[in-house]
Amino acid sequence: MGQILQIDNEQSLSFGYMEPKGSLSLRETISTYLRTKGIEASSESISTVSGGLLALQLISIGLLNRGSTFLHETPSYLNLVHVFQSAGMNLMGLPIDKEGIKFDAIERMKRQHYASLFYTIPTFYNSTGKLMSEKRRLELIEVCQKETTIPIIEDDVYGDLWFENPPPKPLKAKDTQGNVLYIGSVSNTLSPGLRISWIVGPEPVIERLADIKMQTDYGSSSLSQYAVDKWLCSGMYDDFLKEIREELKFRMDFTILILKKYFSEIATCSTPKGSFYIWINLLSCVSNRKVFNVVLREGILLNPGSVYDNNDLQHLRISYSYASMEQLEKGLISLAKLIKSLL
Ligand SMILES: Cc1ncc(COP(=O)(O)O)c(C=O)c1O
């Protein structure tokens, strides 16, 4: 039997199992929060989940068959996590340009390979940190809704981490036909340990995913849901976001300065507009896998581009969000030295 804890005067916290879609109070709060991003979603079309990764897993179990083909941007976070591959699905990467996914390939791929879904991270791609332009978002929605009718999974777990200007509105805000399944999260803002994310989509789809969720982990921690609800509806989350945006921007500027000083002969990179990552393009023919192995021995952990795209031997992804400034500086100086020694 679930216990009840009196947390404050007006609300009590139940420690029993929650309804399949998760805490109603949190879902109502998420619905209000999503409105600030231009997304209209009732609490019934939202399900909480224990992390963005579980959201992807539920989609792979609940909506797709073995052998389905899944389209995604190249490079992509999906190649790192293997959720869909281990469920027996085929992944096909589509190229991106400076505005985002080259959407004209979607229609062809759908026809030739009977592709079932298209997965995208339009705001601050994990790995490259890039941002899909407003124009490309509109074109993509148009192609996926009207011409190709291929459902989109929009992974927006970095959307709140912009530095100076808010990014264009999510694809879900432009979705008039229930064609976009949207994933949001506090894992990258508040804490990954809370394990609170959410999926938003048409009610029947959300009900199915919530059902499978109950069969998978009986739902997210009620304590975490309570905490996230409080953060979001009290205004504390917004205040906290202001702080971490400033901190991340400061760290990013610092990292770019070091890269300019020590990497100018060996690599190029662009300046991200949000999130955690800088995507470094190695100018020489030294392979990123070799760099990864050599620097790991020196205690430096970075992700080679090959984990996001098997054919990529040229890029490294650096994260400036976690290490201390001293560690960042020391690590980057050693990285530059080691790369030069490999040339
Ligand atoms: C694009 C993307 N989606 C989903 C996740 C999974 O996040 P979570 O910790 O909420 O499971 C991550 C984690 O880094 C991510 O980068």
Side-chain angles (χ1 to χ4, degrees), residues 105 149 231 259 309 325:
T149 57
W231 272 87
L259 290 173
D309 170 9
M325 305 303 250

Side-chain angles (χ1 to χ4, degrees), residues 50-54 56 77 119 121 126 155 157-158 185 187-188 192 195-197 277:
S50 312
L53 191 55
L54 183 64
L56 295 175
Y77 170 70
Y119 168 87
I121 311 172
N126 179 6
D155 191 339
V157 300
Y158 296 103
S185 182
S187 292
N188 297 303
R195 307 310 297 143
I196 298 293
S197 302
Y277 311 118

Side-chain angles (χ1 to χ4, degrees), residues 207-258:
E207 257 148 42
R208 176 160 172 72
L209 295 177
D211 249 14
I212 300 167
K213 180 186 77 168
M214 284 312 265
Q215 294 166 49
T216 309
D217 71 351
Y218 288 135
S220 314
S221 146
S222 45
L223 192 56
S224 289
Q225 293 190 69
Y226 180 87
V228 172
D229 193 1
K230 287 282 165 208
W231 272 87
L232 285 173
C233 71
S234 64
M236 269 193 314
Y237 183 70
D238 285 335
D239 293 344
F240 182 65
L241 281 181
K242 282 182 203 138
E243 273 176 43
I244 49 171
R245 281 181 195 133
E246 265 178 38
E247 171 70 21
L248 281 174
K249 165 89 168 56
F250 179 73
R251 287 166 160 270
M252 186 276 292
D253 285 340
F254 177 78
T255 311
I256 290 282
L257 274 182
I258 299 178

Side-chain angles (χ1 to χ4, degrees), residues 39-110:
I39 298 174
E40 287 299 328
S42 70
S43 55
E44 289 312 306
S45 53
I46 299 171
S47 176
T48 61
V49 271
S50 312
L53 191 55
L54 183 64
L56 295 175
Q57 225 139 20
L58 294 177
I59 291 167
S60 78
I61 300 167
L63 304 183
L64 299 167
N65 299 320
R66 277 190 97 73
S68 301
T69 297
F70 211 88
L71 305 178
H72 61 79
E73 287 133 350
T74 303
S76 177
Y77 170 70
L78 283 193
N79 286 318
L80 175 72
V81 289
H82 292 262
V83 185
F84 295 101
Q85 296 96 317
S86 47
M89 277 147 218
N90 308 311
L91 260 66
M92 295 200 94
L94 305 182
I96 53 174
D97 61 21
K98 63 181 179 1
E99 288 204 63
I101 181 82
K102 291 171 107 177
F103 59 86
D104 44 355
I106 294 180
E107 158 49 358
R108 191 165 22 89
M109 289 297 195
K110 168 141 195 235

